[in-house]
Amino acid sequence: MDYRYESSDNSSGRNKCAACFRQFNKMEHLVDHMRTSFHSVHESKCGICRKHCRSFESLREHLIGPLPKQECKNIFNIRGCRYCLTILESSNARRVHQERCQFSNVNAGLLARMATLGIRDSLNIDNGYSRGTQVVALACKMVGGGSDGSLDLCGRVCLIDENENILFHSYIKPLIPVTNYRYDTTGIRPEYLRDAMPLRQAQKKIQDFLCNGEPMWKVKPRGGRARILVGHGLDHDLDRLQVEYPAVMIRDTAKYPPLMKTSKLSNSLKYDIQTGIQDPFEDCVATMRLYTRMRSQRHGAEDYSLASDPQNRNNLAAWRQSELERMSPEGLLALSRSDFYCWCLDS
């Protein structure tokens, strides 16, 4: 018998979502739920009960929140990694795993700070001769403009590669006068910007480097020369740099659904080193490590992974209602697709 269908006398778990385990009074309500939930293999899953969670925060709540599933909590407390929420084979395996798993502080220390002073410019256009799609991270620090100093102006920018090597670092001279250097968090003094790189020059350098010799209208996520851009709150940084870049090439940790709060708000980029004066190099490292961790996840293979793909248009279509109501919950889940692009697809 086809796994997607159940006989009419099998009512156990009949109206229970196979992903989030939510129960419904009628099968038609479960079908409606599947149309709007976008459950898929790309969601975070509990390693114990296999429940799908929309984000890592909701998975954390399921395991160790105020009202966790007790069975899962008990096992997690013994074998669960508190960083990536993976369930290991034993408590010893967890200890070894956690030592590798936790994000260490940016360990370049004083040497890295000395290296980032002044200008570092290794932005080369290789016209796609490097193998595979290249990934870079960008971060800016803002000074203030306007009469009250509240207008964000880019005063410092940094780009790193996937190995955390600095590709570009420079102070930036804004187009309008700076009225608040925000020294307590930026560490920027007036003399640093006096002879700094003009914004227009930095904008062109970064734009050309990201496109990597490819015209903007030809930029595509796979098989092209353009680089993937990683960051946190990139809409704001790119706007302040006056850089335009296609959304398909941007990986923003502030907008990635698995990293967002349950309330769908963005998590702020906070880590131990982000106290006092903040270095954009450290922000770049933090976002690059988050991206590579998300990219390294292994999910089930699908021919077309997005609900918006034309090939998935009729998966849960209304005209199939009668057929869908005869399917098993597992069959419905097999038809469901994600409403976001999973970064594991970049690997």
Side-chain angles (χ1 to χ4, degrees), residues 26-299:
K26 297 182 178 180
M27 191 61 183
E28 64 185 271
H29 298 157
L30 173 58
V31 173
D32 290 339
H33 164 75
M34 297 304 294
R35 289 192 180 109
T36 58
S37 63
F38 300 102
H39 289 310
S40 76
V41 297
H42 298 291
E43 290 180 302
S44 305
K45 286 191 285 289
C46 173
I48 302 161
C49 70
R50 311 307 296 171
K51 178 182 179 181
H52 289 225
C53 298
R54 184 64 177 174
S55 67
F56 280 97
E57 182 179 32
S58 59
L59 176 57
R60 189 177 295 277
E61 290 175 356
H62 168 76
L63 291 168
I64 53 176
L67 296 172
K69 183 175 180 181
Q70 197 59 47
E71 178 187 357
C72 295
K73 179 183 178 181
N74 293 340
I75 297 176
F76 181 83
N77 286 339
I78 299 172
R79 298 193 280 120
C81 173
R82 65 178 182 271
Y83 302 113
C84 67
L85 308 181
T86 300
I87 307 299
L88 285 305
E89 294 179 357
S90 66
S91 58
N92 287 335
R94 180 185 75 159
R95 179 178 52 79
V96 173
H97 170 86
Q98 282 190 159
E99 290 176 357
R100 298 194 311 265
C101 187
Q102 63 179 323
F103 283 146
S104 60
N105 288 347
V106 179
N107 55 16
L110 181 61
L111 183 61
R113 287 187 173 276
M114 295 299 291
T116 60
L117 292 176
I119 293 177
R120 171 73 66 87
D121 187 353
S122 302
L123 299 186
N124 298 317
I125 298 174
D126 63 17
N127 292 305
Y129 291 117
S130 299
R131 296 182 63 183
T133 303
Q134 299 174 62
V135 181
V136 297
L138 176 145
C140 299
K141 289 302 169 189
M142 305 295 171
V143 292
S147 59
D148 60 355
S150 63
L151 178 64
D152 283 347
L153 306 172
C154 181
R156 193 177 179 192
V157 63
C158 180
L159 281 106
I160 67 169
D161 64 16
E162 198 168 339
N163 296 316
E164 301 177 10
N165 299 310
I166 297 171
L167 299 172
F168 180 76
H169 179 275
S170 180
Y171 292 107
I172 305 297
K173 188 173 185 177
L175 297 175
I176 65 174
V178 177
T179 55
N180 183 358
Y181 287 87
R182 304 175 184 174
Y183 177 78
D184 289 346
T185 56
T186 67
I188 297 176
R189 300 181 184 275
E191 56 267 29
Y192 296 171
L193 303 189
R194 193 170 296 133
D195 298 314
M197 182 180 293
L199 177 66
R200 296 288 190 212
Q201 182 181 347
Q203 179 265 337
K204 187 177 188 309
K205 274 182 170 290
I206 293 171
Q207 185 96 59
D208 292 345
F209 175 73
L210 293 176
C211 291
N212 198 25
E214 196 161 47
M216 185 75 73
W217 60 272
K218 288 185 64 177
V219 169
K220 54 185 178 181
R222 290 180 177 273
R225 300 194 298 266
R227 295 174 165 96
I228 290 174
L229 179 62
V230 176
H232 190 83
L234 279 172
D235 286 348
H236 184 60
D237 285 353
L238 294 178
D239 178 67
R240 297 297 87 189
L241 285 168
Q242 299 184 6
V243 169
E244 295 182 3
Y245 205 51
V248 293
M249 300 301 294
I250 291 175
R251 307 291 181 262
D252 194 334
T253 59
K255 299 168 68 175
Y256 189 51
L259 295 176
M260 296 179 74
K261 296 180 179 179
T262 307
S263 59
K264 296 188 178 180
L265 296 175
S266 167
N267 279 302
S268 60
L269 188 64
K270 292 183 179 179
Y271 39 93
D272 292 341
I273 56 177
Q274 200 173 33
T275 56
I277 294 175
Q278 299 162 13
D279 192 326
F281 169 68
E282 295 170 346
D283 289 352
C284 285
V285 170
T287 55
M288 182 63 82
R289 291 179 182 179
L290 268 178
Y291 168 75
T292 54
R293 174 169 289 183
M294 294 296 102
R295 187 185 61 183
S296 67
Q297 292 184 304
R298 294 292 174 258
H299 298 140

